[in-house]
Amino acid sequence: MKYIKLSFEYMKNKHYWKIMLMMIVPALLLSFLSTYSTTASFFTNFFQRTPEEWTNFATVFGMFTELSNRTLVRLALFLLLSLVLATVFAVAIGVIHKHMRTGRFMFRNIFKRINENFLQTLSTILAIFLLVFLFGVFMAVNVYFWFAVTKHTVATFALSLIFMLVLFGILISFATLLSLSCSYMVAMGKGLLSAASSSIKTTRKKFWSIVCAIVLPLIPLFAIEFGVSFANIKALSIIIDTLINTALFSYYPVLIFVIFYDLENWGREDLLAINKLY
């Protein structure tokens, strides 16, 4: 809970609304391209599907990856979205890092921020997209396999749910161990592999604390998504996804630097009383 508290305390800064406002456009673009309710919809609508759908791997694959139709076009759109996200996050991370390092919250030199941090944020975003895609692939294989073995919808549902929880745990473990990679690249100028190695060594010290900081904010958000999946209204899904994306895009850049400064024992100038006035 320590890192969640510190992150939300930072986000109370009177200037932070500028970063949150900047996140709305990429959050909306991602909401049009993908939705968090994909997995939730799979389980809520599970027993409404026919056995023929579970024996068609292409159909199952499309349920989880959203790539069954116009695959090349959607991949191109995801790549373009990655560039937009990398640009926005390059600015946000540059502002947050400098604020913590100097105590000054400034949106000046935006193009300099992009030039300094674009490759770091792009590599991070592509890694996240890859992890999410692999989650979808493994879930598709999992569902297809269990139905092929059991030929029973209830058994497939139960085993798929168990496997999803295990897979989610593995995904979060990877995300936790690599969570400071971007911070090391931005703050210390490390290369990708060196930053990943440093992140793994550092995050092991407070592994469970970081897991809590990553997962706990997701619980109420995913509970909302689960409810939205029952409604099955596209416009509502886009609105909720946009709000959730904006919240997550605003929270996680702060979190990684809060953790980084704490574990590296760097002093945060933004916490000084004199700097809280500005």
Side-chain angles (χ1 to χ4, degrees):
M1 295 296 291
K2 171 186 175 182
Y3 293 130
I4 296 177
K5 180 181 178 181
L6 289 173
S7 296
F8 280 112
E9 284 179 353
Y10 180 88
M11 292 168 69
K12 290 178 182 178
N13 181 283
K14 63 181 181 181
H15 296 292
Y16 198 72
W17 65 269
K18 299 172 185 176
I19 288 181
M20 297 185 73
L21 190 63
M22 186 173 62
M23 296 299 178
I24 293 177
V25 172
L28 180 62
L29 293 176
L30 179 58
S31 299
F32 276 107
L33 191 56
S34 181
T35 176
Y36 294 107
S37 62
T38 299
T39 303
S41 296
F42 166 78
F43 284 105
T44 55
N45 299 316
F46 187 91
F47 295 103
Q48 298 176 18
R49 301 185 183 278
T50 62
E52 288 74 19
E53 290 181 276
W54 305 130
T55 57
N56 187 328
F57 183 76
T59 301
V60 180
F61 180 79
M63 292 178 190
F64 287 101
T65 63
E66 302 174 319
L67 291 177
S68 58
N69 297 319
R70 298 185 299 172
T71 302
L72 292 179
V73 173
R74 292 186 68 83
L75 285 174
L77 290 174
F78 271 112
L79 179 58
L80 289 174
L81 178 61
S82 299
L83 298 177
V84 173
L85 288 171
T87 302
V88 174
F89 279 109
V91 176
I93 285 173
V95 171
I96 293 168
H97 173 46
K98 184 162 186 178
H99 185 211
M100 291 184 180
R101 182 167 55 87
T102 68
R104 295 184 297 171
F105 193 103
M106 296 187 301
F107 261 96
R108 300 174 187 171
N109 303 318
I110 289 179
F111 291 105
K112 180 182 178 183
R113 302 271 181 244
I114 296 172
N115 181 59
E116 290 175 344
N117 305 321
F118 179 80
L119 291 179
Q120 294 90 323
T121 53
L122 179 61
S123 60
T124 302
I125 289 165
L126 290 177
I128 293 171
F129 278 178
L130 178 60
L131 284 176
V132 173
F133 174 72
L134 289 176
F135 177 83
V137 171
F138 283 121
M139 279 300 299
V141 172
N142 158 58
V143 173
Y144 183 79
F145 171 79
W146 286 123
F147 189 79
V149 170
T150 65
K151 303 295 183 182
H152 197 282
T153 53
V154 175
T156 301
F157 179 88
L159 292 169
S160 297
L161 183 60
I162 293 171
F163 182 86
M164 183 197 70
L165 295 175
V166 173
L167 188 60
F168 182 74
I170 295 172
L171 180 68
I172 290 298
S173 296
F174 272 107
T176 297
L177 291 172
L178 298 173
S179 60
L180 299 186
S181 299
C182 187
S183 299
Y184 276 107
M185 287 188 284
V186 171
M188 292 187 171
K190 291 178 178 285
L192 179 60
L193 295 180
S194 177
S197 176
S198 296
S199 178
I200 292 171
K201 292 176 183 176
T202 304
T203 52
R204 285 186 301 183
K205 302 174 186 176
K206 293 287 184 71
F207 180 81
W208 292 111
S209 295
I210 299 173
V211 167
C212 288
I214 292 174
V215 173
L216 289 182
L218 295 177
I219 295 175
L221 299 180
F222 284 177
I224 294 172
E225 284 289 350
F226 189 78
V228 171
S229 68
F230 280 102
N232 197 27
I233 301 174
K234 181 65 174 177
L236 178 62
S237 178
I238 291 175
I239 293 171
I240 297 300
D241 282 344
T242 300
L243 294 175
I244 289 177
N245 286 334
T246 302
L248 296 180
F249 290 175
S250 302
Y251 171 73
Y252 285 114
V254 174
L255 177 67
I256 63 172
F257 278 101
V258 163
I259 297 171
F260 175 79
Y261 271 75
D262 180 65
L263 295 184
E264 285 293 333
N265 295 312
W266 284 15
R268 282 179 52 184
E269 294 293 321
D270 64 297
L271 295 178
L272 297 180
I274 184 63
N275 289 327
K276 289 184 179 182
L277 299 175
Y278 301 102

